Amino acid sequence: MRPATNSPFAIRHSPFVWLLSLMLAAWLPGSASAQEAPQPVPKAAGSFLGYKTAIQIGIEQHPLVKKSRESALAADAVAQQAKAKYYPQIDAYAIQTGGTLRPQSAFNIGGPQNRPTSYVQNAGVIADQLLYDFGQTAHKVLAERAHHAAAEKDILAHKALVILTVQQAYLDGLRQKRLVQVAEQTVKERGVLRDHIALLYKKQLKSKLDLDLISVELRNAEVLLVQAKNNLRTAFAALNHAMGVRGPDDYTLEDVPAALSPIETLESLTQEGLSQRPELRGSADRIRSAEERLKSAQSLFLPTISAAGMGGVIHFSDAPVNQDPGATPGYAQTWYGAAATLSVPLFTGFLIENKVAEARQQQYKEEQKQTDLANKVVLEVTEAYLTFQTAKQQTRVAEQEAAAARNALTLAGERYRLGLASIVDVTSATTSLITAEVQLADTRYALQASAAAVAYATGSGYLEF
């Protein structure tokens, strides 16, 4: 960043200016180095979409997060409105009146005639300042600030929910992609086997029944491949919905590292959830807001002290614009005044009593909502933890079953080649392997999804993003 040479304030060849410009670019809000650029949404089919990139797109683009941000801004505006009573309220006014200001004659015959209509123009300024209201405004401001803090916690809560939804949708896309690979491999293997049996049938070494059975199995595998591809496209559509965007129906996804087992015990994870979940933290802010509203309502029983100041110019004349030849010229004068007001509520038709009762019930409602939310968090942590443990055990078993099914298929193929087994044994072994591969894919990605659910339930999943 070099200053213009024709500027009278230019400092030529100064490394201090260059260093200062870099520091300002790094520190000023909205600069490229201070804030990361928004992640672009892939447009072309088959575009690469990374795991963390998908999460960042969801955080930036999802309407739920955007809506909560706008709600927080609205809550901040309401908090600023509550502070307005700390400042003087200044109004300007202008009044135009016309009428008879002196008594008219009783009989409008002979003698004195009625006075002409008099016109008065009045303009001025009125200032009203609250001096003291025994904490009514102060508690209201604190209540709105606490409500704003709760709205900011809602942003974190929605952000965490969007992260979890994107993670689950991304992992489901990987699962469906793996199932497509299994289906393609099955079609390929059964196609090779069908061609081999067809060749043996031509040489009259295998029966027509074997060829028909393997042809049926091949067609079934092709149908399963079509279903798997359609499910994959559905998974990509669900991923777009989770990110809150309208993207292509096909992505190139990256493999997600295997999930690790939570080191903490269920009790420690539960305590972490009760202390870290943004919903519970926002609930505490809402309880504090309800308490301050109750105090503000109770302050309505106490008096308020305010001051007022006013001043202006008043003009009298016998015609609106003094154009009547017989009218008097008119005259103007300035005026001012000041006053202090002490307002004491004596009876308001039980308005204040009912406002206090309403505020007290609102506080009780928020406390009960917090209790219910805490119980829900405990349940979510427990379910996520136990689901993770179950998925981990199922993954180990599924890996062993897939290895055994693969060996069984190899053995059945050799036995069939030697004439020691029928084609039914081969197709049965192939079906068992497909089932084992599908089960392994389901359990592996269920393990990943349950690990993400544990992070969400404990309130730690959004901290990374």
Side-chain angles (χ1 to χ4, degrees):
M1 182 176 179
R2 187 183 300 274
T5 56
N6 58 351
S7 171
F9 303 100
I11 304 178
R12 296 177 177 83
H13 309 294
S14 175
F16 173 78
V17 175
W18 176 78
L19 179 60
L20 181 60
S21 64
L22 291 180
M23 295 173 64
L24 289 175
W27 289 344
L28 286 177
S31 62
S33 58
Q35 297 181 355
E36 296 183 357
Q39 293 291 342
V41 180
K43 299 297 183 182
S47 301
F48 176 77
L49 180 64
Y51 181 63
K52 292 187 176 181
T53 301
I55 295 176
Q56 290 293 343
I57 292 175
I59 295 174
E60 296 167 0
Q61 300 292 335
H62 201 283
L64 185 62
V65 178
K66 291 183 177 180
K67 182 181 70 174
S68 59
R69 288 171 180 160
E70 297 301 326
S71 298
L73 292 176
D76 181 58
V78 173
Q80 298 300 323
Q81 293 175 31
K83 295 171 59 178
K85 283 194 174 183
Y86 287 136
Y87 303 99
Q89 310 298 310
I90 303 176
D91 298 308
Y93 69 92
I95 303 174
Q96 169 71 54
T97 62
T100 301
L101 301 183
R102 297 186 181 184
Q104 296 182 346
S105 60
F107 303 99
N108 194 15
I109 54 173
Q113 296 296 317
N114 294 333
R115 299 292 296 176
T117 300
S118 297
Y119 293 90
V120 179
Q121 296 87 28
N122 189 3
V125 176
I126 300 177
D128 189 7
Q129 173 66 59
L130 176 67
L131 299 180
Y132 192 67
D133 60 358
F134 293 90
Q136 180 185 140
T137 302
H139 289 303
K140 187 175 182 180
V141 170
L142 292 176
E144 297 302 338
R145 286 178 178 174
H147 182 70
H148 176 232
E152 290 182 332
K153 302 300 189 306
D154 289 342
I155 299 177
L156 299 179
H158 293 155
K159 174 183 174 182
L161 181 59
V162 168
I163 290 174
L164 175 64
T165 306
V166 173
Q167 288 174 328
Q168 292 177 339
Y170 196 96
L171 293 172
D172 185 63
L174 288 175
R175 182 178 72 89
Q176 296 295 341
K177 178 183 176 182
R178 175 56 185 160
L179 295 181
V180 170
Q181 293 174 351
V182 172
E184 290 175 342
Q185 184 66 24
T186 302
V187 170
K188 180 180 178 181
E189 292 177 353
R190 288 187 177 180
V192 172
L193 182 59
R194 193 274 309 272
D195 295 340
H196 180 66
I197 294 176
L199 180 61
L200 294 176
Y201 171 71
K202 289 182 179 180
K203 295 180 180 181
Q204 297 183 351
L205 297 177
K206 294 297 179 180
S207 66
K208 182 69 166 54
L209 179 61
D210 289 0
L211 180 59
D212 292 340
L213 286 176
I214 193 60
S215 298
V216 171
E217 292 297 326
L218 176 59
R219 287 193 292 270
N220 291 336
E222 291 174 346
V223 171
L224 293 177
L225 176 59
V226 173
Q227 293 178 349
K229 289 183 177 180
N230 289 335
N231 292 336
L232 179 59
R233 294 185 63 182
T234 303
F236 286 142
L239 178 58
N240 287 327
H241 180 266
M243 294 187 297
V245 299
R246 296 181 181 179
D249 59 353
D250 184 25
Y251 289 109
T252 301
L253 306 180
E254 66 174 343
D255 292 331
V256 179
L260 300 178
S261 175
I263 301 177
E264 297 86 353
T265 62
L266 178 59
E267 290 75 13
S268 61
L269 291 175
T270 301
Q271 293 299 324
E272 182 180 357
L274 293 175
S275 60
Q276 296 292 334
R277 281 288 287 269
E279 295 95 327
L280 284 173
R281 295 166 59 189
S283 180
D285 291 330
R286 287 187 173 87
I287 291 177
R288 186 167 66 253
S289 176
E291 292 175 349
E292 296 297 337
R293 292 181 190 277
L294 176 59
K295 294 178 181 179
S296 179
Q298 291 172 340
S299 299
L300 292 174
F301 288 111
L302 302 175
T304 58
I305 304 174
S306 60
M310 59 202 76
V313 178
I314 187 169
H315 180 267
F316 299 92
S317 66
D318 291 338
V321 291
N322 288 327
Q323 293 178 352
D324 188 353
T328 57
Y331 62 94
Q333 67 180 44
T334 60
W335 65 274
Y336 63 89
T341 304
L342 174 64
S343 177
V344 181
L346 298 180
F347 180 71
T348 60
F350 304 104
L351 175 64
I352 299 177
E353 290 83 354
N354 286 299
K355 283 188 175 182
V356 171
E358 179 189 4
R360 184 176 289 110
Q361 295 304 318
Q362 288 292 335
Q363 178 184 351
Y364 178 75
K365 183 180 73 173
E366 294 296 337
E367 291 173 350
Q368 297 306 311
K369 287 174 63 175
Q370 185 185 50
T371 301
D372 179 68
L373 183 58
N375 294 336
K376 181 181 177 182
V377 168
V378 173
L379 176 62
E380 290 179 354
V381 172
T382 303
E383 289 180 344
Y385 179 81
L386 296 179
T387 301
F388 179 86
Q389 298 297 334
T390 302
K392 185 169 63 173
Q393 296 297 328
Q394 289 177 342
T395 301
R396 294 174 182 174
V397 175
E399 289 174 349
Q400 297 174 359
E401 290 181 351
R406 197 172 295 108
N407 293 332
L409 177 60
T410 302
L411 179 60
E414 287 296 323
R415 288 173 58 84
Y416 179 75
R417 187 179 64 83
L418 297 175
L420 300 177
S422 65
I423 189 61
V424 177
D425 296 330
V426 177
T427 56
S428 298
T430 304
T431 303
S432 298
L433 178 59
I434 294 174
T435 304
E437 291 286 352
V438 170
Q439 183 67 25
L440 179 58
D442 289 340
T443 55
R444 280 179 175 175
Y445 293 110
L447 179 63
Q448 300 285 70
S450 60
V454 170
Y456 169 78
T458 56
S460 60
Y462 70 92
L463 299 177
E464 182 181 355
F465 302 95

